[in-house]
Amino acid sequence: MMKFRRSERLIDMTNYLLEHPRQLVSLTFFADRYGSAKSSISEDLAIIKETFEQRGIGTLQTVPGAAGGVKYSVKVSDDEARPFISGLCEVIASPERLLPGGYLYMTDILGDPAIVQKAGRVFASAFADADIDVVMTVATKGIPLAYAVGAYLNVPVVIVRRDSRVTEGSTVSINYVSGSAKRIQTMVLSKRSLEEGSKVLIVDDFMKAGGTVNGMISMLEEFKAHVAGIAVLVEAEKAEERLVDEYLSLVQLADVDVKEKKINVTEGNYFRHKNG
């Protein structure tokens, strides 16, 4: 087995931890991987931990005992999250985004890997200590965001669809009322995609009155699964009858004037909620 220099070991360990968030990695695994003593590995991990925490990359939790090891979790500091969220507000405030009915054109934002990755990291940081098995979203625009969050939390993604697909196998279907249009709509989820008792983080790109999110909550009840949290990229503030109470948002549409083509945008409840 080739001998690793310390600098190589530090780089490789860092890379391994970043690629395996929230996974317990034993010291034995690293010791065998580099042909090094556990004491050397412990010293290396102490350097990585200190650097991660100083630079706001994340936290490294040490789990003692025979079955112990280290676990990396994403952590985004407020100093890093603030400029990102205010930049997002600026991008979203552009009047050209306005669509009929007070909706916004957001496809370009959700198609920008840099924005989606960063938003995923910010959400994953907020829910890093929560007990989450699965990220759930509804097709289609929220899918990139859900995958970004799922990657940082190291959990699978489940996608609720509007219609049944033969490739899904047998499905569970529910009707729900879309909050803003008050229309009855259908949601479908494959029976195999969610285990009973799963703890689920719901992720959505845009929440108006919360009908879609509420529909997903009803779907979870069908599967005897639990809501571990709700994360939305953009919420509309002036939803007359908000159907959802507890959620985390990055951006809030404070006011949309379709006639004047004005979009008034503020930061969402992320900092209040996270630090509350």
mmCIF file with all atom_site columns, all heavy atoms in Angstrom, residues 121-135:
data_model
loop_
_atom_site.group_PDB
_atom_site.id
_atom_site.type_symbol
_atom_site.label_atom_id
_atom_site.label_alt_id
_atom_site.label_comp_id
_atom_site.label_asym_id
_atom_site.label_entity_id
_atom_site.label_seq_id
_atom_site.pdbx_PDB_ins_code
_atom_site.Cartn_x
_atom_site.Cartn_y
_atom_site.Cartn_z
_atom_site.occupancy
_atom_site.B_iso_or_equiv
_atom_site.pdbx_formal_charge
_atom_site.auth_seq_id
_atom_site.auth_comp_id
_atom_site.auth_asym_id
_atom_site.auth_atom_id
_atom_site.pdbx_PDB_model_num
ATOM 1   N N   . ARG A 1 121 ? -27.574 24.343 0.107  1.00 0.00 ? 121 ARG A N   1
ATOM 2   C CA  . ARG A 1 121 ? -26.653 24.346 1.241  1.00 0.00 ? 121 ARG A CA  1
ATOM 3   C C   . ARG A 1 121 ? -27.224 25.113 2.422  1.00 0.00 ? 121 ARG A C   1
ATOM 4   O O   . ARG A 1 121 ? -27.110 24.694 3.573  1.00 0.00 ? 121 ARG A O   1
ATOM 5   C CB  . ARG A 1 121 ? -25.336 25.007 0.812  1.00 0.00 ? 121 ARG A CB  1
ATOM 6   C CG  . ARG A 1 121 ? -24.150 24.164 1.141  1.00 0.00 ? 121 ARG A CG  1
ATOM 7   C CD  . ARG A 1 121 ? -22.830 24.762 0.780  1.00 0.00 ? 121 ARG A CD  1
ATOM 8   N NE  . ARG A 1 121 ? -22.037 24.725 2.006  1.00 0.00 ? 121 ARG A NE  1
ATOM 9   C CZ  . ARG A 1 121 ? -21.425 25.752 2.523  1.00 0.00 ? 121 ARG A CZ  1
ATOM 10  N NH1 . ARG A 1 121 ? -21.462 26.899 1.939  1.00 0.00 ? 121 ARG A NH1 1
ATOM 11  N NH2 . ARG A 1 121 ? -20.768 25.627 3.642  1.00 0.00 ? 121 ARG A NH2 1
ATOM 12  N N   . VAL A 1 122 ? -27.856 26.258 2.102  1.00 0.00 ? 122 VAL A N   1
ATOM 13  C CA  . VAL A 1 122 ? -28.436 27.102 3.158  1.00 0.00 ? 122 VAL A CA  1
ATOM 14  C C   . VAL A 1 122 ? -29.564 26.342 3.873  1.00 0.00 ? 122 VAL A C   1
ATOM 15  O O   . VAL A 1 122 ? -29.638 26.324 5.104  1.00 0.00 ? 122 VAL A O   1
ATOM 16  C CB  . VAL A 1 122 ? -28.939 28.440 2.557  1.00 0.00 ? 122 VAL A CB  1
ATOM 17  C CG1 . VAL A 1 122 ? -29.797 29.198 3.538  1.00 0.00 ? 122 VAL A CG1 1
ATOM 18  C CG2 . VAL A 1 122 ? -27.743 29.302 2.132  1.00 0.00 ? 122 VAL A CG2 1
ATOM 19  N N   . PHE A 1 123 ? -30.433 25.692 3.099  1.00 0.00 ? 123 PHE A N   1
ATOM 20  C CA  . PHE A 1 123 ? -31.515 24.904 3.703  1.00 0.00 ? 123 PHE A CA  1
ATOM 21  C C   . PHE A 1 123 ? -30.962 23.717 4.497  1.00 0.00 ? 123 PHE A C   1
ATOM 22  O O   . PHE A 1 123 ? -31.411 23.432 5.606  1.00 0.00 ? 123 PHE A O   1
ATOM 23  C CB  . PHE A 1 123 ? -32.485 24.393 2.637  1.00 0.00 ? 123 PHE A CB  1
ATOM 24  C CG  . PHE A 1 123 ? -33.493 25.411 2.188  1.00 0.00 ? 123 PHE A CG  1
ATOM 25  C CD1 . PHE A 1 123 ? -33.830 25.544 0.848  1.00 0.00 ? 123 PHE A CD1 1
ATOM 26  C CD2 . PHE A 1 123 ? -34.136 26.233 3.107  1.00 0.00 ? 123 PHE A CD2 1
ATOM 27  C CE1 . PHE A 1 123 ? -34.775 26.486 0.429  1.00 0.00 ? 123 PHE A CE1 1
ATOM 28  C CE2 . PHE A 1 123 ? -35.073 27.173 2.703  1.00 0.00 ? 123 PHE A CE2 1
ATOM 29  C CZ  . PHE A 1 123 ? -35.394 27.298 1.363  1.00 0.00 ? 123 PHE A CZ  1
ATOM 30  N N   . ALA A 1 124 ? -29.988 23.022 3.915  1.00 0.00 ? 124 ALA A N   1
ATOM 31  C CA  . ALA A 1 124 ? -29.412 21.854 4.594  1.00 0.00 ? 124 ALA A CA  1
ATOM 32  C C   . ALA A 1 124 ? -28.776 22.260 5.915  1.00 0.00 ? 124 ALA A C   1
ATOM 33  O O   . ALA A 1 124 ? -28.855 21.535 6.906  1.00 0.00 ? 124 ALA A O   1
ATOM 34  C CB  . ALA A 1 124 ? -28.390 21.171 3.698  1.00 0.00 ? 124 ALA A CB  1
ATOM 35  N N   . SER A 1 125 ? -28.179 23.452 5.944  1.00 0.00 ? 125 SER A N   1
ATOM 36  C CA  . SER A 1 125 ? -27.568 23.957 7.170  1.00 0.00 ? 125 SER A CA  1
ATOM 37  C C   . SER A 1 125 ? -28.632 24.167 8.248  1.00 0.00 ? 125 SER A C   1
ATOM 38  O O   . SER A 1 125 ? -28.448 23.803 9.413  1.00 0.00 ? 125 SER A O   1
ATOM 39  C CB  . SER A 1 125 ? -26.854 25.274 6.870  1.00 0.00 ? 125 SER A CB  1
ATOM 40  O OG  . SER A 1 125 ? -26.494 25.919 8.061  1.00 0.00 ? 125 SER A OG  1
ATOM 41  N N   . ALA A 1 126 ? -29.773 24.728 7.832  1.00 0.00 ? 126 ALA A N   1
ATOM 42  C CA  . ALA A 1 126 ? -30.850 24.995 8.797  1.00 0.00 ? 126 ALA A CA  1
ATOM 43  C C   . ALA A 1 126 ? -31.423 23.705 9.375  1.00 0.00 ? 126 ALA A C   1
ATOM 44  O O   . ALA A 1 126 ? -31.881 23.670 10.517 1.00 0.00 ? 126 ALA A O   1
ATOM 45  C CB  . ALA A 1 126 ? -31.951 25.809 8.126  1.00 0.00 ? 126 ALA A CB  1
ATOM 46  N N   . PHE A 1 127 ? -31.404 22.642 8.573  1.00 0.00 ? 127 PHE A N   1
ATOM 47  C CA  . PHE A 1 127 ? -31.989 21.365 9.024  1.00 0.00 ? 127 PHE A CA  1
ATOM 48  C C   . PHE A 1 127 ? -30.924 20.301 9.310  1.00 0.00 ? 127 PHE A C   1
ATOM 49  O O   . PHE A 1 127 ? -31.235 19.117 9.404  1.00 0.00 ? 127 PHE A O   1
ATOM 50  C CB  . PHE A 1 127 ? -32.977 20.840 7.976  1.00 0.00 ? 127 PHE A CB  1
ATOM 51  C CG  . PHE A 1 127 ? -34.219 21.698 7.848  1.00 0.00 ? 127 PHE A CG  1
ATOM 52  C CD1 . PHE A 1 127 ? -34.358 22.610 6.816  1.00 0.00 ? 127 PHE A CD1 1
ATOM 53  C CD2 . PHE A 1 127 ? -35.247 21.592 8.779  1.00 0.00 ? 127 PHE A CD2 1
ATOM 54  C CE1 . PHE A 1 127 ? -35.498 23.409 6.706  1.00 0.00 ? 127 PHE A CE1 1
ATOM 55  C CE2 . PHE A 1 127 ? -36.388 22.379 8.677  1.00 0.00 ? 127 PHE A CE2 1
ATOM 56  C CZ  . PHE A 1 127 ? -36.514 23.286 7.644  1.00 0.00 ? 127 PHE A CZ  1
ATOM 57  N N   . ALA A 1 128 ? -29.665 20.745 9.465  1.00 0.00 ? 128 ALA A N   1
ATOM 58  C CA  . ALA A 1 128 ? -28.552 19.794 9.643  1.00 0.00 ? 128 ALA A CA  1
ATOM 59  C C   . ALA A 1 128 ? -28.730 18.915 10.878 1.00 0.00 ? 128 ALA A C   1
ATOM 60  O O   . ALA A 1 128 ? -28.321 17.753 10.886 1.00 0.00 ? 128 ALA A O   1
ATOM 61  C CB  . ALA A 1 128 ? -27.230 20.549 9.717  1.00 0.00 ? 128 ALA A CB  1
ATOM 62  N N   . ASP A 1 129 ? -29.344 19.479 11.921 1.00 0.00 ? 129 ASP A N   1
ATOM 63  C CA  . ASP A 1 129 ? -29.475 18.712 13.169 1.00 0.00 ? 129 ASP A CA  1
ATOM 64  C C   . ASP A 1 129 ? -30.833 18.019 13.290 1.00 0.00 ? 129 ASP A C   1
ATOM 65  O O   . ASP A 1 129 ? -31.095 17.329 14.273 1.00 0.00 ? 129 ASP A O   1
ATOM 66  C CB  . ASP A 1 129 ? -29.264 19.641 14.374 1.00 0.00 ? 129 ASP A CB  1
ATOM 67  C CG  . ASP A 1 129 ? -27.898 20.315 14.314 1.00 0.00 ? 129 ASP A CG  1
ATOM 68  O OD1 . ASP A 1 129 ? -26.945 19.652 13.868 1.00 0.00 ? 129 ASP A OD1 1
ATOM 69  O OD2 . ASP A 1 129 ? -27.788 21.502 14.691 1.00 0.00 ? 129 ASP A OD2 1
ATOM 70  N N   . ALA A 1 130 ? -31.694 18.216 12.292 1.00 0.00 ? 130 ALA A N   1
ATOM 71  C CA  . ALA A 1 130 ? -33.017 17.580 12.341 1.00 0.00 ? 130 ALA A CA  1
ATOM 72  C C   . ALA A 1 130 ? -32.902 16.125 11.898 1.00 0.00 ? 130 ALA A C   1
ATOM 73  O O   . ALA A 1 130 ? -31.975 15.760 11.176 1.00 0.00 ? 130 ALA A O   1
ATOM 74  C CB  . ALA A 1 130 ? -33.985 18.335 11.439 1.00 0.00 ? 130 ALA A CB  1
ATOM 75  N N   . ASP A 1 131 ? -33.830 15.335 12.349 1.00 0.00 ? 131 ASP A N   1
ATOM 76  C CA  . ASP A 1 131 ? -33.853 13.920 11.986 1.00 0.00 ? 131 ASP A CA  1
ATOM 77  C C   . ASP A 1 131 ? -34.644 13.792 10.688 1.00 0.00 ? 131 ASP A C   1
ATOM 78  O O   . ASP A 1 131 ? -35.874 13.869 10.690 1.00 0.00 ? 131 ASP A O   1
ATOM 79  C CB  . ASP A 1 131 ? -34.537 13.143 13.124 1.00 0.00 ? 131 ASP A CB  1
ATOM 80  C CG  . ASP A 1 131 ? -34.309 11.647 13.002 1.00 0.00 ? 131 ASP A CG  1
ATOM 81  O OD1 . ASP A 1 131 ? -33.589 11.244 12.066 1.00 0.00 ? 131 ASP A OD1 1
ATOM 82  O OD2 . ASP A 1 131 ? -34.858 10.884 13.825 1.00 0.00 ? 131 ASP A OD2 1
ATOM 83  N N   . ILE A 1 132 ? -33.949 13.650 9.562  1.00 0.00 ? 132 ILE A N   1
ATOM 84  C CA  . ILE A 1 132 ? -34.601 13.623 8.248  1.00 0.00 ? 132 ILE A CA  1
ATOM 85  C C   . ILE A 1 132 ? -34.170 12.385 7.475  1.00 0.00 ? 132 ILE A C   1
ATOM 86  O O   . ILE A 1 132 ? -32.980 12.083 7.384  1.00 0.00 ? 132 ILE A O   1
ATOM 87  C CB  . ILE A 1 132 ? -34.257 14.905 7.451  1.00 0.00 ? 132 ILE A CB  1
ATOM 88  C CG1 . ILE A 1 132 ? -34.905 16.118 8.122  1.00 0.00 ? 132 ILE A CG1 1
ATOM 89  C CG2 . ILE A 1 132 ? -34.708 14.812 5.995  1.00 0.00 ? 132 ILE A CG2 1
ATOM 90  C CD1 . ILE A 1 132 ? -34.384 17.445 7.654  1.00 0.00 ? 132 ILE A CD1 1
ATOM 91  N N   . ASP A 1 133 ? -35.160 11.667 6.920  1.00 0.00 ? 133 ASP A N   1
ATOM 92  C CA  . ASP A 1 133 ? -34.874 10.467 6.117  1.00 0.00 ? 133 ASP A CA  1
ATOM 93  C C   . ASP A 1 133 ? -34.980 10.740 4.626  1.00 0.00 ? 133 ASP A C   1
ATOM 94  O O   . ASP A 1 133 ? -34.338 10.069 3.815  1.00 0.00 ? 133 ASP A O   1
ATOM 95  C CB  . ASP A 1 133 ? -35.873 9.335  6.448  1.00 0.00 ? 133 ASP A CB  1
ATOM 96  C CG  . ASP A 1 133 ? -35.901 8.990  7.926  1.00 0.00 ? 133 ASP A CG  1
ATOM 97  O OD1 . ASP A 1 133 ? -34.802 8.834  8.486  1.00 0.00 ? 133 ASP A OD1 1
ATOM 98  O OD2 . ASP A 1 133 ? -36.994 8.884  8.514  1.00 0.00 ? 133 ASP A OD2 1
ATOM 99  N N   . VAL A 1 134 ? -35.851 11.682 4.261  1.00 0.00 ? 134 VAL A N   1
ATOM 100 C CA  . VAL A 1 134 ? -36.204 11.880 2.855  1.00 0.00 ? 134 VAL A CA  1
ATOM 101 C C   . VAL A 1 134 ? -36.515 13.358 2.612  1.00 0.00 ? 134 VAL A C   1
ATOM 102 O O   . VAL A 1 134 ? -37.055 14.027 3.493  1.00 0.00 ? 134 VAL A O   1
ATOM 103 C CB  . VAL A 1 134 ? -37.486 11.053 2.506  1.00 0.00 ? 134 VAL A CB  1
ATOM 104 C CG1 . VAL A 1 134 ? -37.974 11.348 1.102  1.00 0.00 ? 134 VAL A CG1 1
ATOM 105 C CG2 . VAL A 1 134 ? -37.242 9.567  2.655  1.00 0.00 ? 134 VAL A CG2 1
ATOM 106 N N   . VAL A 1 135 ? -36.190 13.838 1.395  1.00 0.00 ? 135 VAL A N   1
ATOM 107 C CA  . VAL A 1 135 ? -36.653 15.158 0.949  1.00 0.00 ? 135 VAL A CA  1
ATOM 108 C C   . VAL A 1 135 ? -37.770 14.924 -0.063 1.00 0.00 ? 135 VAL A C   1
ATOM 109 O O   . VAL A 1 135 ? -37.651 14.063 -0.930 1.00 0.00 ? 135 VAL A O   1
ATOM 110 C CB  . VAL A 1 135 ? -35.502 15.964 0.297  1.00 0.00 ? 135 VAL A CB  1
ATOM 111 C CG1 . VAL A 1 135 ? -36.039 17.209 -0.404 1.00 0.00 ? 135 VAL A CG1 1
ATOM 112 C CG2 . VAL A 1 135 ? -34.465 16.366 1.341  1.00 0.00 ? 135 VAL A CG2 1
#
